[in-house]
Amino acid sequence: LRQVSDLSDFSRGHWLRELLCRGEEPSHVQSSPDGQHLLLLHKSRPPTLPRVVAFQRHSIAGADLERSWQPPQPAPVGLLFLQSPAVLGSWVLAVVWEHGRTEIWHFVVAVGWQLLQTLELCQGARARVISVCSQGASLVWCEERPPLGAHSDMSKCAFRFCVCARALEVGEQGVRLGTVRIVLHNSPEYQVLASPQHIFLVPAAAGFATTSKFLLIWHPEKAELTITAPSAGFIHSKVLHSSSESDFRKLLLGSVGLLSCFAPLDIHTSTVSNGGGLLLVSTKGSVSIVEPDGTQRHIFDLEGGPLAQGSPVQLKTFGSFLACVLAGVLYLVDQNSGRLIEKEVLSMKEMHFLESQGEESIQLLSQTGIYSFSFSKPEDSSRPEPCPVEMVFEEACRYYQRRSLSSSKLTVEKLKKGGTFQAPVVLAAILQHSLHQKQKPAQGLQDTYTKLLSTMRLELQSYMSLELLKACVVCAPESEVESYCKELVEQEVSRILQSDMDKDNLAYLNSVFASFPKAAWKATRSCLQLQQNGDGLLVARATPEVWKKVLCQPQLDEVGQNGMAPLFELICASFLRFKPKWLPSFVELTQQYVSSSWSYSSKEGLEGRVPLYKRALGVLARKNKHGEADDEMELELLLCSKRPKAVLQALHLLIRLKQWQRVVEVAEKFSKLSPLLNKEIFITLLAEFAQHRELDPYLDRLWPLCPAELSASDILTVVLQHLPHSQEDPVPFSSEGNQLTVGLLKPLLQRVVQRPNVQDEMYSDALQSTTFPPPTPPREH
């Protein structure tokens, strides 16, 4: 960190230093695209008037830019540098005031600042600009449109803001504003932030709780608005064909129920990165980025705990690096990995980032001058440690921090120098030894590590091949990507099934199955070794550890709100998509494994929670379209479970579908499982028999299913309870021929009457005894 300027190379440098050192509120600092001009929006309180001042490097005689205003006059809300045609130079400055007045300034060498034109940005006289940004040659702003009534209820006029866009053309004849384009009307207050292709709409801190749970992203080229909640990702997107469709309440009409379950946004500071993403700093000090597609990624956590409302956080991106200044500390973080590269304690707390011409240095403005923080991108050969070794220490820090009872922060440096934690040191040494074998001669490895290396060699080879395959996917041509992805997915699924099935691994598996469904299906078949034997039955040769991971059902609080499904459900969905005929056999196979591996009351077992067939039925119910094939699949899943309730449910489904042949077949097959199920099945079919004549052709097969404990009176009771109610007077002989007659019921009653009584069988041995009744025992006096 070195000083490159003491502010003396600026025009009126002593006054610039005085402005930076004075003032109760921090000044807004902005530098021109060429770095030759510095603008300060100074909002100090009286006696010094607030003002906008421009300072020029390498001062040349000419007019200066200085604009002040006397409160309660409206203040400027934005200083924007806009690109202009080469006739007038490379850029112009737009100063946008709160009441919509826009001043266009241009700097000419040896002449100084010149006011090109003053324009009125807003159409309404009572409009008030809240925030403004520029994208290319257009201005985008959020304005407040107060209600007409002077004493209107502000709670009823909560959605009184409007987001507008307007083209600004700078030509030889002057400056011309285009027509106003309504992006969003009847909306809450938003702060607008511009990236090269998108506009982010961030809710104001004082907004309502119901509308501060999500962000909006406007895509000007597509005329599309995207709703995204950083915690849940993309929610909804809508193309705005006309201004009538840009109503805020109509935009949210289909997503109100989903948005109501989200927590309000936690935003302390927001800015746009040079890559087009939205950088957010929470009040807890967490730095994350929201991409234009609505996805969020965590980057880094600032030290120092919760941030106060008034403590400023400066953010700026330089290439792939993120620089943060908080309370006089500069953090330099790699955006891709979230790794802290440098932490520098600055001598001053008030620092402001300036535009840099290159990406190799960071320039900061302070009260004493401009400082440059230079860094060079390290080459692979000069890296002190390879990335896998760094990951080992960082993961070990997180692991030991969770187990530690101390509140002190454990860092990688403490982990290496402490000498207490030997496991990560040993693993890092083995990794470093193995990774350098192909690049250069291997360094000597301690004898105590050699035995451990021999046991880890296969794992290391698998890891190295996986990393090589990932590199091939990145560098491969488009025609070969699919084949590489199949192999990569198979290795990734196999790797996760061999590790702990935690929440992160489960979320990763969900993304793999969603992105590569066919490859994930083939990988699942390979890992479970699913195939049909010679008899056509499905068999699997997976290890018990893999089965436990496949069949585990996470708790409800472990499953995220973004639809993360357990692995068993993912596999069932793959069966339904690619091999639906195998799904009932797979469920039956898993039930056999559960019954043989876990006891019924075991906490680790599956049957203590939701049965597997019900989980498979849940996957079937979530299909978008439901057809006849799905009815057949539901029947097969119910019957393959062999549970009494499921069998009866399948029987009722077949009755509803009027498939009487299959009804009798199911009854004959499953009545043999238990006497209780046999009784339930027979009573169900007897009730159907009493109501209509569809089962008459199958009575010869139905009557043998009658349980032994049913008497003739029991049968007649069931029949009388289920006889259909006729609207007409009963007659001996119906013309329709669909009523029950005694002749149809006679064979069943004869079977029951001729059947030997159960109690007679119980006492038959006693009745046939030669000593009946038994002799009287001798009496005692």
Side-chain angles (χ1 to χ4, degrees):
L1 186 68
R2 62 184 182 87
Q3 186 176 12
V4 296
S5 172
D6 59 354
L7 304 183
S8 60
D9 56 345
F10 281 94
S11 60
R12 300 177 294 171
H14 61 286
W15 191 30
L16 171 60
R17 187 177 297 107
E18 182 183 352
L19 279 177
L20 291 173
C21 296
R22 184 180 63 193
E24 299 179 8
E25 297 182 14
S27 302
H28 173 74
V29 180
Q30 194 165 354
S31 58
S32 61
D34 56 7
Q36 296 300 312
H37 300 269
L38 193 64
L39 274 84
L40 266 68
L41 177 59
H42 194 66
K43 295 183 178 179
S44 63
R45 297 177 181 176
T48 304
L49 293 178
R51 65 187 70 189
V52 177
V53 188
F55 299 92
Q56 176 194 353
R57 278 186 185 241
H58 314 298
S59 176
I60 302 174
D64 295 326
L65 173 62
E66 182 175 346
R67 300 283 284 113
S68 61
W69 64 95
Q70 179 73 42
Q73 291 180 356
V77 293
L79 306 175
L80 308 173
F81 289 100
L82 307 175
Q83 298 297 324
S84 65
V87 179
L88 295 175
S90 59
W91 49 267
V92 294
L93 172 67
V95 182
V96 183
W97 300 82
E98 191 178 81
H99 55 303
R101 180 175 299 169
T102 303
E103 299 177 355
I104 307 298
W105 292 82
H106 175 56
F107 183 81
V108 181
V109 180
V111 178
W113 287 95
Q114 292 181 334
L115 178 62
L116 292 181
Q117 198 165 344
T118 301
L119 306 166
E120 292 296 334
L121 193 62
C122 303
Q123 288 181 330
R126 305 176 71 249
R128 187 171 67 93
V129 178
I130 303 299
S131 65
V132 63
C133 65
S134 63
Q135 187 184 65
S138 297
L139 296 178
V140 182
W141 72 94
C142 177
E143 67 178 43
E144 180 184 9
R145 296 181 174 180
L148 295 176
H151 302 284
S152 299
D153 187 2
M154 298 305 290
S155 62
K156 297 181 180 179
C157 305
F159 302 99
R160 63 185 185 276
F161 295 88
C162 183
V163 180
C164 309
R166 203 167 187 179
L168 183 73
E169 300 177 2
V170 182
E172 297 180 1
Q173 305 300 325
V175 183
R176 187 176 67 87
L177 276 174
T179 57
V180 177
R181 180 183 180 185
I182 304 296
V183 180
L184 194 67
H185 61 87
N186 294 331
S187 73
E189 181 180 352
Y190 278 108
Q191 179 189 6
V192 290
L193 299 170
S195 71
Q197 285 83 28
H198 310 87
I199 303 292
F200 293 95
L201 277 65
V202 182
F208 293 88
T210 54
T211 60
S212 60
K213 297 181 178 182
F214 55 89
L215 304 171
L216 296 179
I217 306 174
W218 180 45
H219 312 267
E221 294 182 357
K222 303 177 183 177
E224 185 179 43
L225 265 175
T226 297
I227 306 174
T228 176
S231 61
F234 172 83
I235 295 176
H236 178 61
S237 184
K238 182 179 182 181
V239 179
L240 307 177
H241 298 287
S242 62
S243 59
S244 62
E245 298 183 4
S246 59
D247 187 85
F248 178 78
R249 287 166 289 193
K250 291 182 180 179
L251 179 69
L252 298 184
L253 196 58
S255 308
V256 174
L258 180 62
L259 294 172
S260 62
C261 63
F262 296 147
L265 296 176
D266 181 15
I267 300 177
H268 180 277
T269 306
S270 60
T271 186
V272 178
S273 68
N274 58 359
L278 178 65
L279 291 168
L280 299 176
V281 182
S282 69
T283 56
K284 299 177 181 178
S286 175
V287 183
S288 58
I289 185 170
V290 179
E291 301 295 344
D293 59 358
T295 57
Q296 184 192 27
R297 180 171 57 87
H298 177 264
I299 297 179
F300 182 68
D301 289 325
L302 296 171
E303 298 177 357
L307 304 179
Q309 189 64 31
S311 58
V313 180
Q314 302 286 335
L315 295 174
K316 197 164 185 65
T317 53
F318 300 84
S320 61
F321 300 101
L322 170 66
C324 304
V325 173
L326 171 63
V329 180
L330 171 65
Y331 300 89
L332 190 64
V333 183
D334 187 353
Q335 285 189 85
N336 299 326
S337 63
R339 187 166 52 91
L340 179 63
I341 299 174
E342 191 70 31
K343 178 183 176 183
E344 186 82 13
V345 180
L346 307 177
S347 58
M348 296 192 180
K349 292 186 177 181
E350 293 293 333
M351 305 289 285
H352 302 275
F353 288 111
L354 300 179
E355 294 291 337
S356 301
Q357 298 301 314
E359 295 184 350
E360 287 77 21
S361 64
I362 301 173
Q363 287 194 354
L364 302 103
L365 173 68
S366 71
Q367 302 169 3
T368 59
I370 297 178
Y371 294 84
S372 175
F373 188 86
S374 302
F375 57 93
S376 58
K377 297 179 181 179
E379 299 178 0
D380 294 339
S381 59
S382 62
R383 291 182 68 90
E385 292 175 342
C387 285
V389 176
E390 295 178 359
M391 290 171 61
V392 166
F393 286 113
E394 291 172 1
E395 184 67 27
C397 277
R398 287 193 289 266
Y399 172 73
Y400 288 121
Q401 191 72 51
R402 288 197 304 265
R403 298 186 57 186
S404 175
L405 298 178
S406 174
S407 60
S408 61
K409 183 76 173 179
L410 181 62
T411 62
V412 176
E413 289 73 18
K414 293 180 182 178
L415 192 68
K416 293 179 180 178
K417 297 176 182 178
T420 308
F421 310 102
Q422 290 298 311
V425 177
V426 173
L427 182 58
I430 292 175
L431 273 175
Q432 210 159 10
H433 175 271
S434 304
L435 293 173
H436 287 297
Q437 282 185 348
K438 295 183 179 179
Q439 301 172 3
K440 58 184 180 180
Q443 302 173 357
L445 190 65
Q446 297 184 20
D447 295 337
T448 55
Y449 299 166
T450 307
K451 185 177 180 180
L452 185 59
L453 174 61
S454 62
T455 60
M456 293 178 57
R457 193 174 301 279
L458 292 178
E459 296 293 336
L460 285 173
Q461 290 176 357
S462 175
Y463 173 79
M464 292 298 295
S465 63
L466 183 60
E467 291 299 315
L468 181 62
L469 183 58
K470 290 180 180 179
C472 292
V473 171
V474 175
C475 304
E478 188 174 354
S479 58
E480 300 178 6
V481 168
E482 186 176 358
S483 61
Y484 280 125
C485 284
K486 290 181 181 179
E487 186 178 351
L488 178 60
V489 168
E490 183 172 349
Q491 292 195 27
E492 286 288 80
V493 172
S494 176
R495 178 182 65 83
I496 292 178
L497 288 180
Q498 300 298 329
S499 58
D500 294 334
M501 189 57 66
D502 55 7
K503 185 178 180 181
D504 294 333
N505 281 339
L506 187 57
Y508 179 52
L509 268 181
N510 274 260
S511 63
V512 169
F513 273 78
S515 303
F516 308 99
K518 192 171 184 179
W521 159 247
K522 292 184 178 180
T524 303
R525 288 185 56 181
S526 176
C527 293
L528 297 179
Q529 298 186 39
L530 290 171
Q531 57 185 355
Q532 281 184 321
N533 60 9
D535 299 331
L537 299 176
L538 190 68
V539 294
R541 294 182 176 86
T543 61
E545 289 76 14
V546 173
W547 271 121
K548 289 183 179 181
K549 294 179 177 66
V550 169
L551 301 179
C552 69
Q553 183 181 8
Q555 299 290 341
L556 293 178
D557 54 352
E558 297 176 2
V559 180
Q561 294 181 349
N562 57 348
M564 188 172 64
L567 181 55
F568 178 76
E569 276 75 356
L570 290 176
I571 296 176
C572 289
S574 295
F575 270 106
L576 283 175
R577 183 170 182 176
F578 298 104
K579 202 73 172 179
K581 293 183 179 179
W582 282 13
L583 180 57
S585 301
F586 174 72
V587 174
E588 191 172 5
L589 188 68
T590 54
Q591 290 179 150
Q592 293 174 1
Y593 176 78
V594 168
S595 61
S596 62
S597 302
W598 292 311
S599 62
Y600 187 82
S601 61
S602 173
K603 293 183 179 179
E604 190 183 15
L606 276 298
E607 298 303 297
R609 298 185 181 180
V610 180
L612 293 173
Y613 81 95
K614 285 190 177 181
R615 295 174 63 181
L617 286 173
V619 176
L620 179 65
R622 285 190 288 269
K623 286 187 63 177
N624 295 329
K625 296 181 180 180
H626 194 86
E628 295 181 1
D630 296 328
D631 289 334
E632 185 66 27
M633 180 62 65
E634 183 179 354
L635 279 170
E636 294 295 332
L637 290 174
L638 290 170
L639 295 176
C640 75
S641 68
K642 298 181 181 178
R643 291 195 169 206
K645 289 185 178 180
V647 172
L648 290 174
Q649 186 178 347
L651 196 66
H652 285 290
L653 179 59
L654 286 172
I655 291 173
R656 190 173 72 246
L657 296 175
K658 296 184 178 182
Q659 298 183 12
W660 306 112
Q661 176 71 25
R662 292 196 61 188
V663 166
V664 177
E665 292 176 356
V666 169
E668 290 177 336
K669 179 179 180 181
F670 290 94
S671 293
K672 303 175 183 177
L673 293 181
S674 69
L676 185 60
L677 181 59
N678 180 21
K679 182 179 179 180
E680 292 288 341
I681 290 176
F682 183 78
I683 291 177
T684 301
L685 296 185
L686 187 60
E688 287 295 319
F689 164 76
Q691 297 176 21
H692 51 75
R693 308 276 55 82
E694 301 289 347
L695 284 171
D696 289 359
Y698 309 98
L699 294 182
D700 293 340
R701 300 167 61 182
L702 183 60
W703 299 149
L705 302 179
C706 181
E709 63 269 19
L710 280 185
S711 63
S713 61
D714 295 333
I715 293 174
L716 292 175
T717 302
V718 173
V719 170
L720 291 175
Q721 287 176 348
H722 293 87
L723 283 175
H725 298 284
S726 177
Q727 300 293 335
E728 303 175 356
D729 294 333
V731 294
F733 302 99
S734 174
S735 59
E736 298 178 0
N738 59 354
Q739 289 190 356
L740 178 63
T741 63
V742 178
L744 293 174
L745 198 59
K746 183 179 179 181
L748 174 62
L749 297 175
Q750 286 180 341
R751 289 178 63 94
V752 173
V753 172
Q754 294 174 1
R755 182 186 301 158
N757 194 356
V758 177
Q759 292 183 354
D760 294 344
E761 293 180 356
M762 292 173 56
Y763 298 107
S764 60
D765 294 337
L767 292 173
Q768 294 175 4
S769 175
T770 56
T771 59
F772 183 82
T776 303
R779 296 182 178 182
E780 296 182 0
H781 296 282

